């Protein structure tokens, strides 16, 4: 396994011609129905940048086409993307092939623990940023996802995660209702998303020419141990961090998932990253930076 | 077909099947010779909405969606079966070069 990390560059894309996503999707479905799988894939790829709310449906058809063509590793990757993007997404099992249903169940069972932990980490980040209503909504969604009645194969740590989520949901609801700040807690077993609570102040970036960018001192990323069954290939993602005036990562977020099994560990590792902080007019300032992350599964 | 004695190349052509096969045959004087035609495989892609098990000439091909299933060039009876929506049948011509594509919609 190799791991590379490079600063993401700015990519400017030419505007695409206007598409009617619904019409394009209907055309792709018709091609799929007539067993023209390659043509349907081409249509779906053309449609992808404009899918929006159709993304999960579009990816379901993409997975079906790939499955038909025997490209099962790729169909599994597409299904992973669905589960990461929409952990609560459910197939209408009467309307799709049992082959896809079986693969989706396998992928979901494998990915869901990581998605759930990532959702918890995101909710904790909202809580730490004092965005209590957002945190409460995120925790409710998480609790729906890990409702015991909805989990076919409970995993280790599921019960603990549920207890944590319920506890923080209660706190978030109280804080959103205007209750006084709670006493510090030390019950969290999940790694925090950031080194500390975000403090106010402008966040600069490469767009500010009068700001000297942070200099890396320590930036270790975790090794990825792909879970059994992970398709071979290269996995790419994008992580965005805000480096505070002390040179610590104040917040981190995945702008593009690398792999569900890796995102949470990568986010957690940023708590140990250290920088010489960005400087403006001789004064340390916050700085937002993105890193492209590439891992290989072999 | 009457042929002069000796070795002859026989070319079998079927435009409808996109087939052109040349085979050597040796005919003895006053005798006869048989030419066995070995038909190549073409390809079939098949689908059903919502889905179905697919059979070709009584042999299970698999569950849809299926692509590039090898089938002998010629006509085949394809049967789609769904546990609650019933059965559909269709004769499909498999050609040597152009893959055949066929789909049925149980919901129509």
């Amino acid at each position: 396994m190799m791991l590379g990390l490079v600063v993401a560059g700015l990519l400017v894309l030419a505007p695409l011609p206007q598409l009617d996503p619904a019409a394009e999707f209907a055309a792709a479905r018709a091609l799929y129905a007539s067993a023209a799988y390659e043509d349907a894939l081409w249509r779906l790829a053309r449609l992808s940048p404009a899918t929006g709310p159709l993304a999960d449906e579009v990816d379901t058809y993409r997975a079906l086409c790939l499955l038909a063509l025997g490209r099962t590793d790729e169909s599994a990757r597409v299904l992973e993307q669905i589960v990461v993007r929409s952990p609560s997404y459910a197939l209408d099992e009467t309307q799709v092939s049992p082959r896809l249903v079986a693969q989706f169940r396998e992928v979901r069972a494998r990915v869901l623990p990581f998605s759930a932990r990532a959702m918890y980490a995101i909710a904790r980040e909202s809580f730490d940023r004092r965005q209590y209503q957002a945190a409460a909504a995120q925790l409710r969604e998480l609790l729906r996802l890990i409702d015991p009645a909805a989990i076919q194969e409970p995993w280790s740590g599921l019960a603990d995660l549920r207890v944590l989520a319920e506890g923080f949901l209660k706190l978030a609801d109280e804080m959103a209702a205007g209750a006084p700040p709670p006493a510090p807690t030390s019950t969290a077993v999940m790694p925090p998303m950031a080194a500390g609570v975000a403090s106010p102040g402008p966040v600069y970036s490469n767009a500010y020419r009068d700001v000297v960018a942070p200099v890396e001192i320590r930036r270790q990323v975790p090794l990825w141990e792909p879970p059994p069954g992970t398709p071979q290939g290269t996995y790419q993602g994008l992580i965005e961090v805000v480096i505070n005036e002390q040179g610590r990562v104040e917040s981190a977020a995945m702008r593009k998932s690398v792999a569900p099994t890796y995102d949470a560990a990568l986010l957690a590792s940023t708590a140990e990253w250290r920088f010489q902080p960005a400087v403006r007019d001789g004064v340390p300032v916050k700085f937002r930076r993105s890193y492209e992350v590439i891992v290989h599964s072999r | 077909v009457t042929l002069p004695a000796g070795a002859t190349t026989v070319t079998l052509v079927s435009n409808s099947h996109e087939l052109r096969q040349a085979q050597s045959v040796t005919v003895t004087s006053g005798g006869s010779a048989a030419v066995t035609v070995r038909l190549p495989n073409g390809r079939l892609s098949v689908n059903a909405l919502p889905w179905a098990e697919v059979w070709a000439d009584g042999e299970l091909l698999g569950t849809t969606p299926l692509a590039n299933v090898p089938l002998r060039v010629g006509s085949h009876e394809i049967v789609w079966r769904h546990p609650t929506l019933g059965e559909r049948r269709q004769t499909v011509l498999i050609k040597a070069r152009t893959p055949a594509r066929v789909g049925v919609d149980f919901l129509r």
Side-chain angles (χ1 to χ4, degrees):
Chain A
M1 182 182 67
M2 290 169 50
L3 185 104
L5 194 64
V6 291
V7 178
L10 182 65
L11 185 64
V12 180
L13 297 172
L16 293 169
Q18 286 292 318
L19 294 174
D20 176 351
E24 284 290 314
F25 188 33
R29 288 201 313 266
L31 287 167
Y32 167 78
S34 66
Y37 305 115
E38 298 275 11
D39 296 338
L41 276 177
W42 179 81
R43 281 268 185 175
L44 293 168
R46 215 164 78 97
L47 179 60
S48 284
T51 48
L54 291 174
D56 294 336
E57 297 290 330
V58 166
D59 276 345
T60 299
Y61 273 87
R62 181 176 290 121
L64 280 165
C65 292
L66 291 167
L67 198 63
L69 293 163
R71 293 156 62 178
T72 49
D73 286 355
E74 292 173 74
S75 63
R77 288 277 301 277
V78 170
L79 295 175
E80 279 184 7
Q81 287 172 15
I82 295 175
V83 177
V84 169
R85 182 176 54 232
S86 311
S88 303
Y89 182 73
L91 292 175
D92 182 346
E93 298 191 358
T94 64
Q95 294 303 310
V96 294
S97 168
R99 294 171 61 204
L100 190 80
V101 170
Q103 191 177 36
F104 185 76
R105 283 181 181 168
E106 183 273 321
V107 166
R108 194 165 190 274
R110 175 159 48 85
V111 171
L112 202 57
F114 300 95
S115 292
R117 290 188 179 106
M119 287 171 72
Y120 176 79
I122 290 166
R124 278 298 311 269
E125 186 183 43
S126 297
F127 188 91
D128 290 345
R129 287 179 170 174
R130 302 177 186 181
Q131 296 166 346
Y132 301 118
Q133 287 187 337
Q138 289 156 350
L139 289 163
R140 283 198 176 85
E141 186 184 351
L142 169 61
L143 286 166
R144 273 196 298 274
L145 183 70
I146 60 174
D147 188 305
I151 300 292
Q152 291 171 341
E153 296 178 29
W155 65 84
S156 171
L158 172 63
D160 291 343
L161 183 63
R162 186 163 184 85
V163 169
L164 279 170
E166 286 171 342
F168 272 101
L169 174 59
K170 188 179 175 190
L171 275 177
D173 280 340
E174 288 172 1
M175 298 302 290
T185 59
S186 58
T187 55
V189 296
M190 300 295 290
M193 291 290 294
V197 174
S199 55
V203 179
Y204 296 91
S205 67
N206 285 326
Y208 295 83
R209 296 193 173 192
D210 59 340
V211 174
V212 180
V215 177
E216 292 167 14
I217 298 171
R218 186 169 71 229
R219 196 195 60 202
Q220 288 184 317
V221 295
L223 288 174
W224 183 39
E225 298 292 342
T230 302
Q232 290 188 354
T234 299
Y235 294 71
Q236 277 182 279
L238 193 70
I239 185 171
E240 183 181 273
V241 296
V242 173
I243 300 153
N244 68 13
E245 299 89 334
Q246 288 76 46
R248 291 170 176 259
V249 173
E250 181 177 277
S251 66
M254 296 306 301
R255 294 301 172 214
K256 182 185 172 202
S257 170
V258 181
T261 55
Y262 186 68
D263 291 349
L266 179 64
L267 287 168
S269 75
T270 62
E272 303 302 319
W273 293 8
R274 294 292 180 271
F275 297 81
Q276 186 178 311
V279 176
R280 188 185 192 217
D281 296 332
V283 178
V285 293
K286 295 178 196 243
F287 197 89
R288 178 175 284 109
R289 172 176 276 178
S290 296
Y291 293 92
E292 188 176 13
V293 184
I294 302 170
V295 295
H296 301 281
S297 171
R298 292 178 177 159
Chain B
V1 179
T2 303
L3 293 173
T8 304
T9 298
V10 177
T11 302
L12 305 160
V13 178
S14 169
N15 289 330
S16 61
H17 293 78
E18 299 177 339
L19 195 64
R20 187 178 186 87
Q21 273 193 348
Q23 285 187 226
S24 294
V25 60
T26 301
V27 183
T28 57
S29 179
S32 64
V35 176
T36 302
V37 180
R38 292 180 184 274
L39 290 174
N41 280 339
R43 288 180 296 158
L44 171 69
S45 290
V46 59
N47 206 358
L49 294 181
W51 63 273
E53 281 188 342
V54 181
W55 305 68
D57 307 322
E59 184 180 341
L60 179 65
L61 299 183
T63 302
T64 60
L66 295 166
N68 300 320
V69 179
L71 276 183
R72 199 75 72 194
V73 165
S75 292
H76 297 270
E77 186 187 45
I78 306 299
V79 178
W80 291 259
R81 292 196 179 108
H82 185 279
T84 58
L85 299 174
E87 185 177 293
R88 301 285 175 91
R89 288 171 184 269
Q90 193 171 325
T91 300
V92 176
L93 177 65
I94 302 295
K95 298 180 181 180
R97 288 197 299 274
T98 306
R101 289 175 185 154
V102 60
V104 299
D105 188 344
F106 279 91
L107 306 174
R108 281 188 182 169

